[in-house]
Amino acid sequence: MKKQAKLIVHTGSMFSGKTTSLWRELYRMKVAGYKTVAFKPSVDSRDEDEKIVSHDNLELDAIKIESIKDILNYAQNNEVDAIGIDEVQFFPDKPSKIVEYFIKLMKKHITIVVSGLDMDYKARPFEIVKELMPIADELIKHHAICASCGEDAWVSFRKSYNEDRIEIGAQDSYEPLCRSCYNIKMKDREKNKNQISIEQI
């Protein structure tokens, strides 16, 4: 009989080690004899289609999917004990549906390990991570190092002036910042954006 299923959530800013921790969790489970599989959102174009790659270059074979529901379909047709899901905030499913899917998977005694950003570049919580936090068996908040002062980072600062909530990118597009440095850079960002808008008139 399979062990009791768990929901393990790794969250925090970019470059904080969330994906590395996802890799470590699944590796340990695989060594322990669990049948494991990893999934990534189809919109994540940063790495190979069939790989999850951490910022320290750890690789994990992964299946690219459009919706969390695809994982349910996989679990119905394959024997699996533990599932890893990277960048959960990128999936288009409603948070309530993702929670519903996760509960169905755990009822099948499948452990779920999730990594995802807790906030967007404007420091607004991602709804799905906010919904998963209270039902998680284990919740780990990771911190990167602030790119400006070296303190624990709090959020991912976007370097461009793109206003879309989701913009796929890495170090060329984002940097981790502590709360104080983030507030300073966001103030400068707004000032520069307004200056650019005036010059375009």
Side-chain angles (χ1 to χ4, degrees):
M1 183 177 176
K2 293 181 181 178
K3 295 181 180 179
Q4 180 69 38
K6 288 184 178 180
L7 173 59
I8 303 169
V9 177
H10 292 275
T11 190
S13 69
M14 292 182 69
F15 317 112
S16 64
K18 302 183 303 299
T19 302
T20 299
S21 295
L22 174 71
W23 180 93
R24 188 181 297 115
E25 297 269 14
L26 288 189
Y27 177 79
R28 289 178 69 250
M29 291 177 186
K30 191 171 183 178
V31 169
Y34 285 67
K35 292 181 175 63
T36 65
V37 62
F39 297 90
K40 63 185 287 188
S42 60
V43 297
D44 191 350
S45 57
R46 292 171 297 179
D47 307 309
E48 296 179 43
D49 281 354
E50 297 179 353
K51 297 283 185 183
I52 293 171
V53 183
S54 70
H55 292 296
D56 50 358
N57 295 318
L58 290 173
E59 291 187 355
L60 190 64
D61 291 335
I63 299 170
K64 214 168 190 180
I65 56 173
E66 297 286 337
S67 165
I68 295 289
K69 190 175 182 181
D70 295 334
I71 300 176
L72 277 178
N73 296 334
Y74 181 94
Q76 288 172 352
N77 298 300
N78 298 272
E79 188 176 352
V80 60
D81 303 316
I83 285 170
I85 304 169
D86 196 34
E87 303 291 5
V88 70
Q89 77 281 349
F90 286 161
F91 287 102
D93 312 81
K94 291 181 179 179
S96 59
K97 293 302 293 183
I98 294 180
V99 169
E100 180 184 323
Y101 298 150
F102 281 9
I103 289 171
K104 286 181 179 179
L105 288 166
M106 287 189 287
K107 284 182 177 179
K108 294 177 178 289
H109 303 284
I110 297 172
T111 288
I112 305 166
V113 185
V114 172
S115 74
L117 293 171
D118 52 355
M119 293 185 290
D120 63 19
Y121 79 102
K122 287 189 174 180
R124 299 171 300 191
F126 277 108
E127 289 78 7
I128 180 53
V129 177
K130 188 167 64 173
E131 290 295 318
L132 293 178
M133 285 181 176
I135 66 169
D137 295 276
E138 296 179 30
L139 173 63
I140 302 94
K141 169 89 174 201
H142 297 269
H143 294 278
I145 302 300
C146 177
S148 291
C149 73
E151 293 289 336
D152 282 350
W154 175 66
V155 73
S156 307
F157 173 77
R158 180 180 293 170
K159 298 176 183 179
S160 76
Y161 294 100
N162 180 9
E163 295 290 330
D164 294 340
R165 191 177 196 196
I166 299 295
E167 180 184 0
I168 307 297
Q171 290 179 329
D172 58 328
S173 304
Y174 294 92
E175 62 182 358
L177 296 177
C178 70
R179 193 187 305 264
S180 296
C181 294
Y182 171 79
N183 289 335
I184 292 168
K185 286 210 172 186
M186 280 300 285
K187 187 176 181 180
D188 290 342
R189 185 178 187 275
E190 288 302 311
K191 187 190 300 181
N192 293 337
K193 185 179 71 174
N194 292 336
Q195 182 63 37
I196 291 170
S197 298
I198 290 171
E199 291 174 354
Q200 290 174 343
I201 295 175

